[in-house]
Amino acid sequence: MDGAGLTRPEAITRALPLLDSVPDPLDTRHGYLDLLGEVEREPPGAVQSLWESTVGSALYDPVQSLGRRVFTALRPPVSRLAIPPGGRVLDAGCGPGDVTAELGSAAGPDGLALGVDVSDSMLARAVRAHAEPNVGFVRADVRRLPFADATFDAVSCLAVLQLVPEPFRVLGELVRVLVPGGRLAILVPAPAGPLSRRLSRLIPNAAGLTLLSAEELAESLHAHGVTTVHTRQNGPVLSVLASGSA
């Protein structure tokens, strides 16, 4: 039972030992563990505000589906994460939870996949569509992940870093919660060459978008202790697979 007397989702019960601090009482009344409550946060950019709106959350799935058909690099690289049976996996910025569910399938019934997002509307969709005993969701800020160091065998962060403030701080958090030798998959929109520089100048700050280059991502990951970083540019999409020393 949670603090309100409601039945706690099994995945959340399994996630509690992974937290760096367990709140009392627990707020799981919406089917996910809410660690933010009514705390006021920074206003999101225009793009993030759209996705978090009622209309945007409804459009998110078909837009993502279309994008993944157009850009094959947008397909979640689940197989490349080498998730062990019974492993623990984090999907940072999980949105409606479709990737989290795939990670849970890869980890198996004895494993655990947790999706973290700041948007209550996205998490509500994720819970309705994908909550399972081994797939759970947490409302938290990816700039301050609520998990202990070296918790997850694999971490996924797909099409998220361009939307959040302080993306390099987020990278540090993703590395921090990864076990030694674990794998980290990142995907961001990153138009190559002169187009990227033009877009970086044209996109207003109000849109809340940050375009990161392969060099910037690799340098930041190395600075946070990651030893191996592979990047691949596929049209306007940059994918990164990284792993730390075992």
Side-chain angles (χ1 to χ4, degrees):
M1 293 287 191
D2 66 9
L6 302 174
T7 301
R8 184 189 308 152
E10 181 178 336
I12 298 304
T13 297
R14 295 167 63 180
L16 294 181
L18 310 181
L19 298 177
D20 55 10
S21 177
V22 178
D24 183 18
L26 295 173
D27 184 354
T28 60
R29 55 188 158 164
H30 301 299
Y32 55 83
L33 176 60
D34 192 344
L35 298 178
L36 296 181
E38 300 301 323
V39 175
E40 185 175 347
R41 65 186 178 95
E42 300 173 36
V47 175
Q48 183 68 7
S49 293
L50 171 63
W51 290 139
E52 293 187 15
S53 69
T54 302
V55 173
S57 62
L59 290 174
Y60 187 93
D61 285 342
V63 169
Q64 285 287 72
S65 178
L66 175 62
R68 290 178 185 183
R69 288 197 297 270
V70 175
F71 302 111
T72 59
L74 280 177
R75 295 174 184 167
V78 173
S79 61
R80 299 189 69 195
L81 284 172
I83 300 169
R88 297 188 296 237
V89 195
L90 174 67
D91 184 18
C94 64
D98 54 335
V99 172
T100 318
E102 293 186 40
L103 297 172
S105 295
D110 294 328
L112 180 64
L114 295 177
V116 170
D117 206 286
V118 72
S119 168
D120 48 9
S121 61
M122 285 293 182
L123 289 170
R125 287 172 57 82
V127 167
R128 288 196 301 269
H130 301 296
E132 297 286 349
N134 71 327
V135 177
F137 299 94
V138 178
R139 184 167 178 250
D141 190 335
V142 293
R143 294 176 298 176
R144 172 63 181 90
L145 291 171
F147 306 106
D149 296 355
T151 293
F152 295 97
D153 300 291
V155 175
S156 174
C157 185
L158 307 183
V160 172
L161 289 177
Q162 76 279 3
L163 297 174
V164 298
E166 302 177 281
F168 297 113
R169 178 178 174 182
V170 176
L171 287 173
E173 284 291 277
L174 301 179
V175 174
R176 179 183 66 79
V177 300
L178 190 65
V179 302
R183 292 190 179 184
L184 166 62
I186 296 170
L187 185 146
V188 291
L195 177 59
S196 176
R197 291 189 291 273
R198 290 177 184 174
L199 285 176
S200 296
R201 290 194 297 266
L202 291 174
I203 294 176
N205 291 334
L209 293 177
T210 303
L211 296 179
L212 301 173
S213 68
E215 293 76 14
E216 288 173 318
L217 284 168
E219 288 177 4
S220 180
L221 288 170
H222 285 309
H224 289 297
V226 170
T227 55
T228 304
V229 179
H230 297 287
T231 64
R232 183 181 65 163
Q233 186 82 37
N234 188 344
V237 176
L238 175 66
S239 59
V240 178
L241 183 67
S243 60
S245 56

